[in-house]
Each structure stands twice: as structure tokens, then as C-alpha cells.
């Protein structure tokens, strides 16, 4: 081993505290990069393999009722490789232990063969015997939520008739990776199930003998999907086609895609922040190290080492920290990624989900960490090249403090001697103080942004369930009903208030941008479900115009006053041009609102409703639910309290769970930054502190000189870090937001207070560790250090 390499080992050990702190900052950035890249790769690859293995359809084409021979016409279309028809219907499941009926979707399976598209993955039991009309296969997640097993009985209402079925198997399906009831957005395994029955049995239950109401198609990759959808619609329109759509608009796939998009967005924002902080810290450490090693650099050059050899020695110091941090980060990223897979496996219904390492992520992690570290050290290495042996072996010229001394002269008579020493240090070496102050301000900014992120998630919950939707119960009908259905429900004892809504499926277009969703028709004076402005004041719905949520308006790139093209996917399927009247605040989903009467009038279907929102007397809830369960027109009844719990679960899993990990990491990084600043100050002032001890200062008084300086810098960094955190919060919130939910940036006094408390706690802990070193310092060795 060469002498310079032995010196490198001694330097790393001598500065082990700072080395570990900076390596941990690099490790966190690399860990997040490796974990997020691996999660994205795992979800994408597992989804692709699952779709291929189970022959997931490329196109879904719902229709009211079409004869089976139409499937041949669909299969003959150019580019269509497989076409299959099936029967679907809504159902209500009744469980003895629950008064509230549970929503379900019933799907048909071919009588004596495997489905050519959307095959199911059997997890328990056996396949259906088509000769037995009472046999069903149940969605695995729903069955597990209610402890149902093959062999159990299940009662369900289909098409107004209650029947009892026997469960023969449990299954998973690529169609229900994210299982959610039609028209809803929140997955709840205990509130929504899927029932598979034989084609003959389900067709008989829904009067679909010899017909189908949904076509599944597989389309070649080289074909124009939009043209294929238009040809499919042309064939199905005479039979009540409801608009064919591709897999990207399929409900489950859309939610999985949004999760992946959210993780990708976070991976582009968060890791670079930590690596940038690491580069800044390395810049400070290497700069101070070169200054303290002036004499050694001169001696090394005097012994014949070239500028490049000496520069490479210090660059190796940077690389050792970067590579060590990258290795730790890769190991941590793998461990954290595997933990995330277990969480995703509970959230998304894959048969198996294994964390797949992305080789490119490792290469990127090492390169970015080395580049970040190099950026922090290369500028300082110029000082090494500039030092000649003769100059380096002499102490640096004393600094001119004549001007700096005037800054605090007026305060000197008000301060005691140790305090004056602190003031002189700060005023005489402003660049060093600014470096330390900036580092601590970065820690404060990270803490502020992470706490603001937590507050943003809480705001999303509060706005969704306390401001926009103030109901307690939501009733969904099987089809649009006349308004008197609302009056009948309102007459049930215990119903305090009821408000109708009409939900109409539609495709909204603005130029080349489009979104497949729904229009919500609500009363102008609605109080239970309403649209609100940015200041949370209710928006008055006029007789003309449409109100778009903020997320939807962003997706469509449209502003109030512009004209929106709306293709209705129900009834006569008219194409409308509606002016955008206003933009509503919404942090969950992408709703669009119209006045109920105006929507019905536009569709030429007056006094029609599809949903009802209610407030009820909790003491009469069981009687109300019992009456609703017995109404054949009711497709489902849901409690907002259940939806809130499910939404919280959704936010706490998947990409949303990253906020907890990042808060913990931010706390660690904040401590590392403050501790690093304290260690640098201690290394620079060790000789001064030893001199004070020899002159008669006590350990506490000597420590006060150093720790007082750290305290002043920390307090000065808090407001600067708060301002940086304000802007950083916007970038991080944008990275977490998706089309499914948007995370607002929330700033409250408590956010700044908690962040400041975290920084101060880190400063106190760092100060205690440094004071321990001061008390243990060898005064003789310290006094031998040359200035």
C-alpha cells in the first residue's frame, strides 16, 4: 500500500463521524432511487406478465343487449385477433352478520371451456360445473375479508330476485387488481365482491339468453386503437352500445397505472434533493480538510509527488465516501423495496409480487452518487493544485479582521468574554458561517417540506369527507329512476335529509386531450354533495355550463370560458359542446358537475336520478338498511365512514406510504447535517478550545464558546430554512400527486414549529456529542496543532 493510500485510511478514520454522516445522506438518496426504480419495474413487469398469462383484453365494449352472432362481426374487424361476449350485472350480497347489503358485480364464464380473454386465477376450490346453476366462484379478497371458504353458502340479489349460491372456488383476476365498485374510486375488499357464474346461469338471471352485454377484444399492437374503437362502436350502436374503450381506461388498470406514475414522479424529485445536499456537505468538508492539511500538502509535494497525485489522493477521499454511501443505499433500497412489495401485495391483488432489481438503477445510483460527490469536491481540489510546497508549508497569511471587528464593536460592552468570542468568530469568518448556516437551513427545509406533505395528505382527507361530501349514506340505483324514487326513500322513518344526483358516463375532449369519466348532476342548492371553490365556498351551479375539478381542468388543459366537447355514453349518446363555467376544488378523483335539471334537460330525460345522498338517524340505521336491501332498484348502499377508512388505507399504502418513510429519512438527514456542522466547527477550533482550557476556562465555559456559535447559526438558519422549505414543498407535493388524488401544499404555524423543534433537537443532540469530545480532548496534543 502506497503512503498516500495509508494516509487516506488514517484520514477516513480520523473524520469517521463526518464521513458516516455524509455517506448516510448519499445512502438515503441512493436507497430511494433503487427502491422506487425497483418498485416501478416490479409493478410494470408483474402486471405485464399477469396480463399476458391471463389474456387480459385490450378493448372493453359494454352494450345494453346484443345477440351472440354479433361477436363474429367484431372478430372479423381488421386487427382484432380474439372477440368474446359475456354477461355482466350488478348484484347485492346479503350476509347474516351485516344489515348493510354489499355491492358486487356478476360476470359470466364460458360453460365448458376456459375464457379466451380475461381468464381468472383460481386460488382455492375448483371450477364451476355449468350443469349446476347455483355454483359460483367468488373474488378471493372479498371472501377473505368475510372469512368465506369453498363450500359456504351465499345469498345475493340479482335483477330483483334473491338467490342462494354455493361457493365452489375463490379466484383472482387481472380485471380486479384494484377492486372497486362501478362508479366509485375507493377500494374496500369488505364492501365489494365479484361473482363468477356459468354463461347459462347468469344469462338466465339477467334475461340475456342468446345475448351478451359486454364484448372483450384482443387487438394487435400495430393497429390504430382509436379507429378500432370507432368501428366497434359502429357495430354495437344499434344494440345500445355504451362506448368501447381501451385497457388504459379500464378502472383497475387506471388505478395501477396512476400508482406507478406517482412513484415515477416521486423518484424524479426526491433522490436528487438528498444527493444535492450530500454534494454541498462534501464541498464544505473537503474545503476545510484542504485548509487544515496545508502543511501536509506542502510536504507531500516537496517529497516529489505531483499535483495530480496529491489531487487524486483527496479525490479518492471523496470517492470512498460516495461509493460507501452508494453501497449502503443499494442494500437499503433492496430491503426497503422488498418491504414495499409486501404492502403492495395487500393493496393490489396480484397472485405474486416479487421485488425485481433494475440493473440500470444500480448503475444510475452509483453514477449519480459519484457525480454528486465529485461536484462537491472538484471545485475544492483546485486549491490543491494552486499550492506550491514553499507556500503550503508556511502558515497562511493572517486574515484582515479590522473591518469585521467594527460589526460587533457596539455589542462588546454588553457581552461577557465567551460571548464576545462567539461574536468575533461569526463576524470575522462570514464565509464559513454562511456555509454552516446553509447546511442547517437545508435540514430545516427538508423537515418543513416533509411535515407539509403530511399536512397535505390530511387536507385531502378533510376536504373529501368533511367539505365536499357531508352525507352519511350513499344509495346507488341499478339504472336512472324517476324522481319519485327519492321521495319514497325520504319517507322511510329515520331519513333526515336526502339529495338526488345523476351520474352520466361521458368522454370529455378539449382539442387532442380527452378524459373518460362521468358528469355529476347535482341540485343547485345541494348541501350534502357539492362543488366548492378554492376558498371552500360553495359554487352556485347555473342552468348552463359545466364545472370541472382542478385536476380534470389540468388534464384537459382548459380554463373557464372555453368550450368543452362532451360525448355522452348513455341513452341517445349525444355529442355536446358545453362552456366551462368554473373550476372546483377537488383533491380526489376528477369530477365534473352540472346542475341536475340542466343535465336531464340536455339528455331529454327529465326528472331522472341515479344516486342519492342521505343523512340519517343512527338509531334507525338498521331498519333503513333493511328496507333499502329489499328494493330491487337499489344497486348498492355504502357508508361514508367505511369509505373514509378505506381511503385512509389507500393513502397509507402504495405511493402514499412513502411520505412516512421520507419523514423518517428527513429527520435522519437533518441530524446528519447539524452534526456535520458541529464536527467541522469542533475540528477547526480544537486548538483554540485547548488554549482556553489551559488559560483557566472550565470545560463548560470552553464548550459554551463552541456550542454557542452552533446555537447562533442554528437559530439564524431556521427562518432561511423555512423559506426554502416553502418552495421545496411544492416540488415534493407535485411529485406525489396523480390523476387519482392531488396532494396540496399546506403551510401552518405548527408545521414550521415542529420542523424547528426537529432541527433544535438535532442541534442539542449534536452539541452533546461534540461536548463529550471536548471534555475528552488531549490538551497537549491539541496545543501542538499549528494554525
Amino acid at each position: 500500500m502506497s503512503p498516500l493510500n495509508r494516509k487516506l485510511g488514517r484520514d477516513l478514520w480520523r473524520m469517521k463521524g463526518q464521513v458516516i454522516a455524509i455517506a448516510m445522506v448519499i445512502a438515503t438518496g441512493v436507497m430511494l432511487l433503487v427502491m422506487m426504480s425497483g418498485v416501478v419495474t416490479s409493478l410494470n413487469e408483474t402486471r405485464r406478465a399477469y396480463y399476458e398469462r391471463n389474456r387480459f383484453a385490450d378493448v372493453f365494449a359494454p352494450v345494453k343487449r346484443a345477440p351472440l352472432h354479433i361477436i363474429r362481426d367484431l372478430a372479423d374487424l381488421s386487427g382484432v385477433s380474439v372477440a368474446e361476449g359475456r354477461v355482466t350485472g350488478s348484484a347485492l350480497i346479503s350476509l347474516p352478520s351485516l344489515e348493510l347489503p354489499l355491492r358486487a358485480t356478476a360476470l359470466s364464464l364460458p360453460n365448458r371451456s376456459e375464457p379466451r380473454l380475461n381468464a381468472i386465477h383460481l386460488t382455492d376450490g375448483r371450477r364451476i360445473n355449468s350443469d349446476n346453476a347455483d355454483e359460483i366462484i367468488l373474488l378471493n379478497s372479498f371472501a377473505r375479508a368475510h372469512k368465506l371458504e369453498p363450500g359456504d353458502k351465499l345469498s345475493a340479489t340479482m335483477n330483483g330476485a334473491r338467490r342462494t349460491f354455493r361457493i365452489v372456488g375463490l379466484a383472482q383476476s387481472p380485471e380486479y387488481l384494484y377492486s372497486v365498485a362501478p362508479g366509485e374510486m375507493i377500494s374496500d375488499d369488505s364492501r365489494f365482491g365479484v361473482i363468477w357464474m356459468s354463461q347459462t346461469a347468469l344469462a338466465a338471471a339477467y334475461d340475456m339468453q342468446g345475448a351478451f352485454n359486454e364484448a372483450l377484444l384482443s387487438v394487435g399492437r400495430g393497429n390504430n386503437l382509436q379507429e378500432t374503437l370507432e368501428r366497434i362502436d359502429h357495430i354495437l350502436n344499434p344494440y345500445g352500445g355504451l362506448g368501447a374503450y381501451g385497457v388504459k381506461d379500464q378502472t383497475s388498470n387506471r388505478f395501477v397505472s396512476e400508482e406507478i406514475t406517482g412513484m415515477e414522479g416521486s423518484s424524479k424529485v426526491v433522490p436528487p434533493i438528498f444527493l444535492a445536499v450530500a454534494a454541498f456537505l462534501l464541498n464544505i468538508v473537503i474545503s476545510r480538510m484542504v485548509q487544515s492539511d496545508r502543511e501536509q500538502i506542502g510536504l507531500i509535494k516537496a517529497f516529489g509527488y505531483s499535483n495530480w497525485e496529491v489531487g487524486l489522493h483527496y479525490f479518492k477521499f471523496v470517492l470512498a465516501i460516495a461509493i460507501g454511501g452508494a453501497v449502503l443505499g443499494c442494500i437499503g433500497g433492496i430491503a426497503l423495496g422488498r418491504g414495499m412489495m409486501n404492502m403492495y401485495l395487500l393493496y393490489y391483488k396480484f397472485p405474486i409480487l416479487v421485488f425485481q432489481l433494475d440493473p440500470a438503477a444500480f448503475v444510475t445510483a452509483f453514477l449519480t452518487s459519484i457525480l454528486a460527490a465529485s461536484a462537491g469536491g472538484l471545485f475544492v481540489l483546485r486549491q490543491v493544485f494552486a499550492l506550491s510546497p514553499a507556500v503550503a508549508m508556511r502558515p497562511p497569511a493572517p486574515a484582515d479582521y479590522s473591518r469585521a471587528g467594527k460589526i460587533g464593536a457596539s455589542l462588546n460592552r454588553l457581552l461577557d468574554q465567551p460571548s464576545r468570542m462567539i461574536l468575533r468568530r461569526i463576524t470575522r469568518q462570514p464565509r464559513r458561517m454562511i456555509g454552516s448556516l446553509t447546511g442547517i437551513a437545508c435540514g430545516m427545509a427538508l423537515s418543513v417540506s416533509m411535515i407539509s406533505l403530511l399536512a397535505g395528505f390530511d387536507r385531502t382527507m378533510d376536504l373529501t369527507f368533511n367539505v365536499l361530501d357531508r352525507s352519511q349514506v350513499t344509495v346507488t340505483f341499478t339504472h336512472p329512476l324517476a324522481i319519485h324514487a327519492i321521495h319514497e326513500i325520504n319517507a322511510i322513518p329515520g331519513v333526515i335529509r336526502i339529495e338526488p344526483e345523476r351520474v352520466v358516463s361521458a368522454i370529455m375532449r378539449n382539442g387532442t386531450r380527452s378524459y373518460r369519466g362521468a358528469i355529476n348532476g347535482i341540485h343547485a342548492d345541494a348541501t350534502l354533495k357539492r362543488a366548492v371553490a378554492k376558498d371552500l365556498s360553495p359554487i352556485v351551479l347555473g342552468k348552463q355550463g359545466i364545472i370541472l375539478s382542478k385536476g380534470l381542468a389540468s388534464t384537459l388543459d382548459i380554463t373557464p370560458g372555453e368550450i368543452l366537447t362532451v360525448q355522452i355514453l348513455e341513452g341517445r349518446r349525444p355529442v355536446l359542446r358545453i362552456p366551462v363555467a368554473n373550476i372546483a376544488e377537488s383533491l380526489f378523483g376528477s369530477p365534473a358537475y352540472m346542475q341536475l335539471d340542466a343535465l336531464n334537460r340536455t339528455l331529454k330525460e327529465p326528472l331522472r336520478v341515479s344516486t342519492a345522498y342521505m343523512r340519517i338517524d343512527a338509531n334507525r340505521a338498521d331498519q333503513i338498511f333493511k328496507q333499502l336491501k329489499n328494493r330491487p332498484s337499489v344497486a348498492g348502499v355504502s357508508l361514508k365512514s367505511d369509505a373514509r377508512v378505506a381511503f385512509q388505507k389507500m393513502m397509507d399504502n402504495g405511493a402514499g406510504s412513502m411520505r412516512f418513510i421520507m419523514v423518517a429519512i428527513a429527520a435522519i438527514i437533518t441530524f446528519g447535517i447539524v452534526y456535520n456542522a458541529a464536527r467541522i466547527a469542533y475540528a477547526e477550533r480544537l486548538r483554540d478550545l485547548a488554549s482556553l482550557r489551559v488559560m483557566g476556562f472550565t470545560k463548560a465555559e470552553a464548550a459554551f464558546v463552541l456550542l454557542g456559535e452552533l446555537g447562533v447559526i442554528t437559530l439564524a438558519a431556521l427562518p432561511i430554512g423555512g423559506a426554502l422549505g416553502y418552495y421545496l414543498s411544492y416540488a415534493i407535493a407535485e411529485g406525489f400527486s396523480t390523476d387519482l388524488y392531488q396532494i396540496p401544499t399546506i403551510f401552518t404555524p405548527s408545521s414550521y414549529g415542529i420542523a424547528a423543534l426537529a432541527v433544535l433537537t438535532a442541534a442539542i443532540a449534536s452539541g452533546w456529542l461534540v461536548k463529550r469530545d471536548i471534555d475528552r480532548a488531549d490538551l497537549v496534543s491539541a496545543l501542538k496543532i499549528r494554525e
Side-chain angles (χ1 to χ4, degrees):
M1 181 180 290
S2 68
L4 286 183
N5 286 336
R6 288 198 293 271
K7 180 180 183 302
L8 174 63
R10 288 195 300 270
D11 288 341
L12 289 171
W13 178 252
R14 176 171 56 88
M15 302 179 66
K16 55 183 178 294
Q18 293 166 254
V19 167
I20 292 173
I22 299 173
M24 290 304 296
V25 176
I26 295 175
T28 53
V30 172
M31 178 180 67
L32 291 173
L33 179 61
V34 170
M35 184 274 292
M36 291 177 173
S37 299
V39 167
V40 170
T41 300
S42 302
L43 290 176
N44 271 325
E45 288 301 310
T46 304
R47 178 178 60 170
R48 181 195 58 77
Y50 193 29
Y51 283 1
E52 288 183 0
R53 188 184 311 116
N54 293 77
R55 305 176 296 280
F56 193 50
D58 297 313
V59 174
F60 296 77
V63 62
K64 284 189 175 181
R65 179 188 176 95
L68 286 173
H69 67 80
I70 296 299
I71 293 297
R72 292 195 298 269
D73 297 336
L74 295 174
D76 290 339
L77 289 174
S78 175
V80 175
S81 56
V82 179
E84 188 172 44
R86 68 179 182 181
V87 177
T88 70
S90 62
L92 283 180
I93 295 176
S94 299
L95 296 177
S97 58
L98 298 175
E99 287 295 331
L100 194 69
L102 306 178
R103 294 188 68 180
T105 292
L107 302 174
S108 68
L109 295 173
N111 287 334
R112 303 189 185 280
S113 64
E114 286 289 314
R116 300 175 66 189
L117 295 173
N118 288 17
I120 62 175
H121 173 73
L122 200 67
T123 60
D124 297 90
R126 61 171 176 83
R127 298 281 176 177
I128 293 170
N129 183 349
S130 58
D131 295 330
N132 297 326
D134 66 336
E135 291 187 354
I136 63 170
I137 293 175
L138 194 61
L139 184 66
N140 180 277
S141 56
F142 178 84
R144 297 303 184 204
H146 295 284
K147 299 180 180 180
L148 297 172
E149 301 287 347
D152 292 343
K153 300 288 185 178
L154 185 72
S155 177
T157 301
M158 294 182 178
N159 200 23
R162 178 171 295 185
R163 300 177 55 186
T164 300
F165 301 98
R166 184 162 60 93
I167 303 170
V168 298
L170 307 180
Q172 293 175 310
S173 168
E175 197 171 351
Y176 291 97
L177 289 176
Y178 182 86
S179 54
V180 60
E184 296 186 6
M185 299 189 68
I186 302 174
S187 176
D188 188 347
D189 293 339
S190 65
R191 311 305 303 178
F192 174 71
V194 180
I195 297 171
W196 286 275
M197 298 174 60
S198 67
Q199 179 86 17
T200 301
L202 196 59
Y206 289 94
D207 299 325
M208 285 285 174
Q209 293 91 339
F212 68 93
N213 60 4
E214 186 175 36
L216 306 176
L217 301 95
S218 179
V219 180
R221 294 182 179 178
N223 294 277
N224 186 307
L225 180 61
Q226 187 58 42
E227 291 181 0
T228 303
L229 294 178
E230 291 174 359
R231 290 196 294 266
I232 293 171
D233 287 341
H234 179 72
I235 293 175
L236 295 180
N237 279 345
Y239 304 97
L242 300 176
Y245 56 92
V247 67
K248 73 179 184 68
D249 288 320
Q250 196 266 342
T251 302
S252 171
N253 183 75
R254 178 185 284 184
F255 277 86
V256 177
S257 297
E258 287 297 329
E259 185 74 24
I260 295 173
T261 301
M263 186 64 71
E264 287 177 333
S266 300
S267 67
K268 294 177 182 178
V269 174
V270 179
I273 293 173
F274 294 113
L275 293 177
V277 172
F280 175 78
L281 291 177
L282 271 171
N283 181 279
I284 296 176
V285 170
I286 298 299
S287 177
R288 305 288 174 84
M289 185 178 177
V290 169
Q291 292 174 13
S292 63
D293 285 359
R294 280 176 58 93
E295 182 180 358
Q296 294 183 26
I297 293 172
L299 286 171
I300 292 171
K301 288 185 176 183
F303 278 113
Y305 287 92
S306 67
N307 284 334
W308 287 104
E309 288 174 319
V310 178
L312 181 61
H313 163 72
Y314 285 96
F315 189 63
K316 285 180 182 178
F317 184 89
V318 173
L319 289 181
I321 298 175
I323 293 173
V327 170
L328 289 175
C330 288
I331 296 173
I334 294 172
L336 187 58
R338 288 178 175 173
M340 290 291 290
M341 288 301 98
N342 293 329
M343 188 178 297
Y344 275 115
L345 197 57
L346 295 174
Y347 190 55
Y348 293 115
K349 311 307 182 296
F350 289 102
I352 187 172
L353 186 57
V354 179
F355 182 68
Q356 299 185 30
L357 301 177
D358 183 7
F362 286 97
V363 176
T364 303
F366 271 89
L367 288 179
T368 52
S369 60
I370 290 173
L371 288 175
S374 300
L378 284 178
F379 291 106
V380 180
L381 295 184
R382 292 181 302 174
Q383 302 175 30
V384 176
F385 290 92
L387 288 173
S388 64
V391 174
M393 294 175 67
R394 292 197 305 265
D400 182 7
Y401 296 138
S402 59
R403 295 182 180 179
K406 296 177 181 179
I407 298 175
S410 59
L411 297 176
N412 282 338
R413 62 177 178 271
L414 302 177
L415 303 175
D416 58 11
Q417 186 177 20
S419 299
R420 289 198 297 272
M421 295 174 68
I422 295 172
L423 180 62
R424 284 197 298 269
R425 168 79 172 183
I426 293 174
T427 56
R428 289 179 176 181
Q429 295 180 325
R431 291 185 179 180
R432 294 186 179 185
M433 298 303 104
I434 290 174
S436 298
L437 185 146
T438 304
I440 296 174
C442 290
M444 175 68 178
L446 285 175
S447 298
V448 169
S449 61
M450 292 301 104
I451 295 170
S452 297
L453 183 67
L454 292 179
F457 274 83
D458 292 339
R459 173 64 178 274
T460 298
M461 289 286 295
D462 180 66
L463 182 65
T464 301
F465 293 98
N466 294 335
V467 178
L468 298 180
D469 184 358
R470 302 193 295 179
S471 65
Q472 293 173 309
V473 180
T474 302
V475 180
T476 305
F477 302 118
T478 56
H479 59 279
L481 300 177
I483 194 67
H484 66 75
I486 297 295
H487 302 317
E488 292 176 358
I489 295 177
N490 193 35
I492 298 175
V495 175
I496 300 173
R497 182 176 178 81
I498 186 168
E499 292 180 359
E501 179 186 59
R502 173 125 190 228
V503 180
V504 179
S505 299
I507 298 176
M508 290 161 272
R509 294 189 176 92
N510 179 42
T512 59
R513 299 194 176 213
S514 64
Y515 182 84
R516 186 186 180 98
I519 298 176
N520 301 282
I522 59 179
H523 264 307
D525 58 349
T527 59
L528 298 184
K529 177 73 176 291
R530 55 190 186 151
V532 299
K534 188 174 183 179
D535 61 357
L536 304 186
S537 61
I539 295 178
V540 178
L541 279 71
K543 295 182 178 180
Q544 294 182 346
I546 188 170
I547 296 173
L548 304 180
S549 63
K550 182 172 61 176
L552 181 55
S554 176
T555 300
L556 296 174
D557 190 21
I558 196 168
T559 57
E562 297 185 81
I563 302 299
L564 179 68
T565 302
V566 179
Q567 179 183 348
I568 302 297
L569 300 178
E570 298 179 10
R572 299 178 299 106
R573 298 188 63 190
V575 177
L576 311 172
R577 289 177 58 80
I578 308 174
V580 177
N582 209 333
I583 303 299
E585 186 76 4
S586 177
L587 301 178
F588 181 60
S590 301
Y593 304 97
M594 286 183 67
Q595 191 184 95
L596 178 59
D597 293 339
L599 178 61
N600 283 329
R601 185 171 57 253
T602 301
L603 300 178
K604 297 183 179 180
E605 296 177 356
L607 303 177
R608 293 284 172 176
V609 298
S610 60
T611 307
Y613 295 93
M614 301 191 303
R615 293 190 67 85
I616 63 173
D617 181 353
N619 296 325
R620 298 189 176 184
D622 292 345
Q623 294 87 344
I624 295 173
F625 297 152
K626 187 174 182 179
Q627 291 202 40
L628 292 174
K629 185 189 297 187
N630 294 327
R631 291 176 179 266
S633 60
V634 172
V637 181
S638 60
L639 294 177
K640 190 177 73 171
S641 57
D642 292 338
R644 180 167 190 146
V645 170
F647 186 48
Q648 184 70 61
K649 180 182 177 182
M650 182 185 73
M651 299 281 271
D652 290 345
N653 291 277
S657 64
M658 280 301 302
R659 69 191 193 275
F660 300 118
I661 297 173
M662 289 175 58
V663 167
I665 290 175
I668 296 172
I669 297 303
T670 300
F671 174 78
I673 291 173
V674 177
Y675 177 72
N676 189 71
R679 291 296 308 181
I680 290 174
Y682 170 70
E684 289 179 344
R685 307 205 62 184
L686 180 58
R687 188 176 188 275
D688 294 341
L689 296 174
S691 300
L692 293 177
R693 291 287 310 283
V694 171
M695 293 169 59
F697 279 65
T698 66
K699 293 181 179 179
E701 289 172 332
F704 173 77
V705 173
L706 178 64
L707 300 182
E709 174 188 320
L710 176 64
V712 171
I713 294 173
T714 300
L715 292 175
L718 294 182
I720 298 174
L724 291 175
Y726 177 85
Y727 295 101
L728 182 60
S729 299
Y730 282 99
I732 294 178
E734 182 66 25
F736 271 89
S737 298
T738 68
D739 286 345
L740 174 59
Y741 55 79
Q742 294 80 47
I743 304 303
T745 304
I746 304 298
F747 298 99
T748 62
S750 61
S751 298
Y752 287 99
I754 294 173
L757 182 61
V759 174
L760 291 175
T761 301
I764 292 171
S766 301
W768 178 80
L769 292 173
V770 171
K771 183 181 183 305
R772 186 181 60 177
D773 292 340
I774 295 174
D775 295 343
R776 297 175 179 177
D778 184 345
L779 299 183
V780 176
S781 299
L783 288 171
K784 291 180 179 180
I785 300 175
R786 293 185 61 182
E787 289 287 353

